[in-house]
Amino acid sequence: MTEAILLVGGKGTRLRPLTVHTPKPMVPAAGVPFLTHQLARARAAGVEHIVLATSYLAEVFEPYFGDGSALGLHIEYVTETEPLGTGGAIRNVASRLTSGPDDPVLIFNGDILTGLDIRALVTTHEDSGADVSLHLTKVDDPRAYGLVPTDATGRVQAFLEKPQTPEEIVTDQINAGAYVFRRSVIDTIPEGRPVSVERETFPDLLASGAHLQGMVDSTYWLDLGTPQAFVRGSADLVLGRAPSPAVPGRCGDRLVLPTAGVAPDAKLTGGTVIGDDAVIGAGARVDGSTVLAGAVIEPNAVITDSLIGAGARVGARTILAGAVIGDGAEVGADNELREGVRVWCGARLPAGSVRFSSDE
């Protein structure tokens, strides 16, 4: 298995305002674009050639990664003129593959942080003789995902999209977003129209008698679709809970990129990342958060489980918990913003204008 397709065309609407100016896979996690971690793990598993299926803000990928040689890869880029869905995107890049009809091709989504043993998935695929093999993981609450029940040998029995009633929840195994396709199966996906691999391709293959194999791997798995999940994933990479050979430094309580400025008495904990040219003021406390390039955290601000966009500014003594501050936004001094708040790119919040508690 030396080829892979990486699906990076989504708009990342659940992550806005992080994705207003940046496609989701290019939002920094643990100091580098999240996509870097996926590419590095694929290379470590033996992948040599990767085709990126791009769409939204497609023009930013190639200037950053080039031909992939810096990562030991050969990267090609294919851009959809109209959104084609997951299955349509796979079919749209098929002409760039060089694998033979029976060769395995790795396919993975651009928004999943996982400790998946990629080689084990390929071995499962080859040993079982499957047409498609799927990485499955177990979750406590599967209602937001597609369930994939399997028999005792791991062969897939059905695909059940986002069940809601107890009767529908027949397994805790979900589709984890990484697959190995027999190369010839990719050519059976309809061309030139939107296709969902989850809702159309897999159920149709199953109905036709194709062999779909599941492999459960629950080492680490996180869907980075929400800002809170993205911040947690970045922190887990820094802390070493999520594996990646692309973290620019040793795992630990914090990651400070070389050109950042951090006051000696500032406290950085919980897998916090401070980006290039960012400034952390005296007495500031930043826990489990990501501060992107050029952002400024003024003295005695308290930032917890939050993401501060590139070039944004957080005023003195301001408290942020579970907040997302968009690129270039300014949150004045003595504000208090709590879980779920999103301050849009370029917005200006005057000093002392929003609080969740008394100012005493």
Side-chain angles (χ1 to χ4, degrees), residues 12 23 29 38 40 127 163 179 208 225 267 303:
Q38 293 185 304
D127 290 350
Y179 321 114
S208 71
K267 187 175 183 181
I303 316 294

Side-chain angles (χ1 to χ4, degrees), residues 79-330:
T79 301
E80 302 166 20
T81 54
E82 297 291 335
L84 294 172
T86 49
I90 293 168
R91 183 66 180 88
N92 190 53
V93 306
S95 63
R96 301 294 184 92
L97 299 174
T98 60
S99 299
D102 290 328
D103 289 340
V105 177
L106 176 68
I107 299 172
F108 48 118
N109 291 327
D111 54 1
I112 300 296
L113 178 60
T114 176
L116 168 68
D117 186 337
I118 296 172
R119 291 182 185 273
L121 181 62
V122 176
T123 298
T124 295
H125 177 79
E126 293 176 333
D127 290 350
S128 66
D131 296 298
V132 179
S133 297
L134 298 86
H135 170 209
L136 308 179
T137 194
K138 294 177 180 289
V139 295
D140 293 332
D141 183 359
R143 288 176 296 177
Y145 304 101
L147 302 192
V148 187
T150 56
D151 67 13
T153 69
R155 188 158 181 160
V156 173
Q157 302 297 292
F159 291 92
L160 308 172
E161 277 299 311
K162 297 183 179 179
Q164 297 303 308
T165 67
E167 294 75 22
E168 292 176 306
I169 302 175
V170 298
T171 180
D172 59 355
Q173 296 176 177
I174 68 165
N175 177 354
Y179 321 114
V180 177
F181 273 63
R182 187 190 304 272
R183 169 67 184 87
S184 58
V185 174
I186 294 174
D187 292 330
T188 68
I189 300 173
E191 192 172 12
R193 68 168 177 85
V195 179
S196 167
V197 73
E198 301 86 358
R199 292 176 174 81
E200 183 176 345
T201 303
F202 291 157
D204 286 356
L205 284 169
L206 204 59
S208 71
H211 180 176
L212 280 73
Q213 186 74 16
M215 187 194 82
V216 177
D217 181 321
S218 298
T219 48
Y220 181 97
W221 185 87
L222 186 63
D223 177 353
L224 300 185
T226 67
Q228 291 72 28
F230 199 96
V231 170
R232 181 155 65 92
S234 177
D236 284 348
L237 284 162
V238 174
L239 292 166
R241 295 171 180 164
S244 170
V247 176
R250 294 190 300 175
C251 292
D253 219 26
R254 67 186 205 171
L255 172 63
V256 179
L257 295 193
T259 59
V262 179
D265 64 344
K267 187 175 183 181
L268 310 177
T269 55
T272 284
V273 181
I274 309 299
D276 282 321
D277 300 317
V279 176
I280 310 299
R285 288 182 287 150
V286 188
D287 178 61
S289 299
T290 295
V291 180
L292 296 185
V296 175
I297 308 299
E298 294 185 358
N300 297 310
V302 179
I303 316 294
T304 306
D305 298 336
S306 297
L307 194 147
I308 314 303
R313 178 177 288 268
V314 176
R317 299 171 302 282
T318 281
I319 297 172
L320 303 180
V324 178
I325 311 302
D327 296 344
E330 292 187 12

